[in-house]
Amino acid sequence: MIPVPLLVCVMGGWCAVYLTDTLLRSSSTHRISYETWLASRGLMVSPFHVRWQTTMFNRLFAYCARINPRALYLWFNSGLVFGICAMLGSVVLLIRTLQQTYAQMTTDNPRIGGQQALQVVVPGVNLPTSQLGYFFMALLLSGIIHELGHAVAALREQVRVNGFGMFVFVMYPGAFVDLFTTHLTLISPAQQLRIFCAGVWHNFVLCVAALAFLFLLPIFLFPMYFTGAGALVTEVVQGSAADGPRGLSVGGIVTGLEDCPVRGVEDWTSCLSHLTHAPQTGYCVAVAGLQPSWAHGRAFKRLDGTMDCCSNNSMTDLCFSYVRPQGRNSREREFACMPVRKMVTGTRVCRTDGDCTAHSSVASVCVTPSLENQTRFIRVSHPPDTHMLFVGYPPHLQHAVSLTNFIPRFGFLHLDLPVFLETFCKYLVSLSGALAVVNSVPCFALDGQWMLNALLEATLVTVVTDRQKRELIGFFLLLAGSALLAANVALGLWMVTAR
């Protein structure tokens, strides 16, 4: 469900805007001055929609349209080819996404949903509120670059640009260009295609540029930050399993999880995934170290069938199981409640007793924490501090901390700068790519509508000479594309908000 506080803030804000606008328009004293003020600044206010339009960027668009005409010709012809391919590809992608959504609805398999290339984004539901700033900035920049492509392509084809503007609809920002319609109808279908395809082409280029910047970020930040020495902690969720005096702290560097080395965030994720599905790691303990003072508490079964022997809910003791050296023929396991930090600090990890005897001349056994199913005991290395000891479900540890690959070379550098650049680039790749796909769909009110109409006019003139028949073909194709997009959006919203 959509978070109530977010919904209240959005609805309350728009009610305040609409109420203020209504009062000023109905006031005999302020109505004329208010409407004059709106018109002079290019503002338009309507329910859940505010729009701003200006001509101040027209000279910039005109200047860009005159830069190297030959290069621009090749550039926008490349956009034309990409737009046609994207229009076909977007239909295939939407059909595949619809099949995946239907499969997830019928099988309740969450992995299928994670494989979808396109997903409906609802702020506060599948988009954390802490990420809204990145989302809206990336969405606005993607929209501006999209409309910049339309504007420059239009001026190059001698189509007048009346103005550029931005808007906010409900809570989603966007941009637009106002083209002179009469000029559009006078140019050839190929020229129209270059204009209509320029938006999705520029979104694709922006997506590729952001992706390249993301991969080259370690090189760009090399003078200030280095990588490969561990994962730097940038945030620890308060009250989580990683919080506390012996937990992780902001600025600490994680170098290992058990015997799995961590050189960066990718290693952290893969190590946790491995530890989630692998058998519990054991620890080599000398037989002489199994002190009689650590009483073999009477083992008892938990509800899930696993064994426990620490009944006092101690925060320092943990139940371990092992095979006594004298009883290996029977393979009966013994259980002992032991002080966990003393037992595992500085010890070698193992899977069997043979791992211990192979590396030590002292008689040793492999003791294994006896835990509930899916629960793991994990030592987190973050020198120079002592190991953080975690007992729980590994994904909980992953969600408890935020990490980055970039470690500052100097103390005055901010830890969050690389995180901001990384996160913003990822949102830019996702949203700019999504705009390129969605706007390519042959659907009413999207760029795909005009792209399809221009393409049919350019290709079917000799085959279908009657203009009305060509328009009828285009109408049914647009109707099918609109239904396909609407089905994806409707089912996607249902999957996100209703389940």
Side-chain angles (χ1 to χ4, degrees):
M1 295 181 61
I2 299 176
V4 174
L6 180 63
L7 186 63
V8 170
C9 290
V10 172
M11 294 299 296
W14 279 113
C15 288
V17 171
Y18 184 68
L19 179 61
T20 303
D21 180 69
T22 302
L23 290 175
L24 290 173
R25 288 184 186 277
S26 60
S27 171
S28 57
T29 307
H30 301 97
R31 182 176 63 85
I32 296 177
S33 59
Y34 173 65
E35 291 179 349
T36 303
W37 181 81
L38 289 178
S40 64
R41 285 160 177 78
L43 290 170
M44 290 183 60
V45 181
S46 58
F48 301 102
H49 184 261
V50 173
R51 190 177 77 163
W52 169 72
Q53 183 173 338
T54 181
T55 59
M56 68 171 62
F57 299 106
N58 286 12
R59 288 187 179 182
L60 175 63
F61 298 150
Y63 173 78
C64 294
R66 293 192 299 267
I67 298 175
N68 199 334
R70 178 63 180 172
L72 285 178
Y73 176 77
L74 295 175
W75 177 259
F76 287 114
N77 273 339
S78 300
L80 184 151
V81 174
F82 172 80
I84 294 174
C85 295
M87 186 162 51
L88 298 174
S90 65
V91 173
V92 174
L93 185 58
L94 285 180
I95 292 174
R96 183 170 179 80
T97 303
L98 193 62
Q99 292 174 338
Q100 291 173 339
T101 304
Y102 178 76
Q104 187 181 6
M105 292 170 60
T106 55
T107 62
D108 283 332
N109 186 355
R111 293 185 178 182
I112 297 178
Q115 297 171 355
Q116 292 179 345
L118 291 176
Q119 290 185 336
V120 176
V121 176
V122 179
V125 180
N126 59 347
L127 174 67
T129 54
S130 61
Q131 302 283 302
L132 289 180
Y134 294 109
F135 176 80
F136 290 133
M137 285 191 297
L139 185 61
L140 183 59
L141 180 58
S142 300
I144 290 173
I145 297 299
H146 179 100
E147 299 303 330
L148 174 65
H150 285 313
V152 175
L155 289 171
R156 190 197 165 277
E157 303 296 343
Q158 306 302 314
V159 174
R160 191 177 77 193
V161 175
N162 295 327
F164 165 83
M166 292 185 288
F167 65 87
V168 175
F169 177 69
V170 185
M171 60 185 303
Y172 292 93
F176 65 92
V177 288
D178 183 13
L179 303 181
F180 193 53
T181 308
T182 304
H183 288 178
L184 272 174
T185 58
L186 296 176
I187 60 178
S188 68
Q191 290 176 299
Q192 292 177 2
L193 265 176
R194 280 194 284 269
I195 295 174
F196 298 141
C197 293
V200 297
W201 169 240
H202 276 222
N203 275 138
F204 172 73
V205 172
L206 178 62
C207 177
V208 172
L211 193 61
F213 182 83
L214 190 61
F215 279 109
L216 295 175
L217 193 59
I219 298 176
F220 295 144
L221 296 179
F222 181 76
M224 299 178 292
Y225 299 84
F226 64 94
T227 59
L232 180 72
V233 179
T234 58
E235 182 183 1
V236 179
V237 177
Q238 188 175 5
S240 67
D243 192 22
R246 291 193 174 181
L248 299 177
S249 58
V250 174
I253 301 175
V254 177
T255 59
L257 297 170
E258 291 296 342
D259 56 345
C260 185
V262 174
R263 293 174 293 272
V265 179
E266 295 78 12
D267 289 342
W268 164 271
T269 304
S270 62
C271 286
L272 281 177
S273 177
H274 170 73
L275 293 172
T276 301
H277 302 96
Q280 174 64 58
T281 305
Y283 305 91
C284 294
V285 176
V287 174
L290 296 173
Q291 300 177 18
S293 59
W294 295 340
H296 293 203
R298 184 176 181 180
F300 59 92
K301 281 189 176 182
R302 301 186 182 95
L303 294 177
D304 62 352
T306 58
M307 303 299 292
D308 193 7
C309 57
C310 294
S311 56
N312 57 354
N313 297 321
S314 171
M315 299 297 291
T316 59
D317 296 342
L318 193 65
C319 184
F320 288 85
S321 69
Y322 60 95
V323 177
R324 292 182 63 85
Q326 297 86 356
R328 291 186 182 180
N329 293 330
S330 65
R331 307 304 298 173
E332 292 183 358
R333 301 198 71 87
E334 298 284 349
F335 296 90
C337 187
M338 307 177 185
V340 60
R341 185 171 292 276
K342 185 174 182 179
M343 283 292 300
V344 303
T345 299
T347 59
R348 182 185 300 275
V349 297
C350 58
R351 299 294 178 186
T352 64
D353 289 345
D355 297 333
C356 300
T357 57
H359 298 90
S360 176
S361 58
V362 180
S364 302
V365 292
C366 186
V367 299
T368 306
S370 180
L371 302 169
E372 295 177 284
N373 291 330
Q374 297 186 336
T375 301
R376 294 292 184 272
F377 171 77
I378 301 173
R379 290 187 303 179
V380 182
S381 303
H382 57 123
D385 299 321
T386 58
H387 291 91
M388 184 193 83
L389 305 182
F390 169 80
V391 178
Y393 189 39
H396 293 170
L397 179 58
Q398 185 170 2
H399 297 308
V401 294
S402 298
L403 303 164
T404 180
N405 292 322
F406 297 91
I407 303 172
R409 296 181 183 274
F410 311 103
F412 63 86
L413 293 174
H414 206 286
L415 301 180
D416 291 334
L417 175 60
V419 176
F420 170 81
L421 294 175
E422 272 188 308
T423 309
F424 181 69
C425 284
K426 290 177 181 178
Y427 272 97
L428 205 56
V429 169
S430 300
L431 293 176
S432 190
L435 282 179
V437 171
V438 172
N439 272 289
S440 300
V441 179
C443 172
F444 293 109
L446 295 177
D447 286 348
Q449 175 183 356
W450 316 112
M451 291 162 58
L452 178 66
N453 290 338
L455 181 63
L456 294 179
E457 287 297 316
T459 57
L460 295 184
V461 174
T462 56
V463 180
V464 183
T465 56
D466 188 351
R467 184 182 180 87
Q468 289 185 342
K469 290 183 179 179
R470 294 197 301 272
E471 291 179 349
L472 189 61
I473 292 173
F475 173 78
F476 282 111
L477 289 175
L478 288 172
L479 194 62
S482 301
L484 180 61
L485 182 60
N488 272 274
V489 172
L491 289 181
L493 280 173
W494 183 83
M495 291 291 293
V496 170
T497 59
R499 300 192 71 184

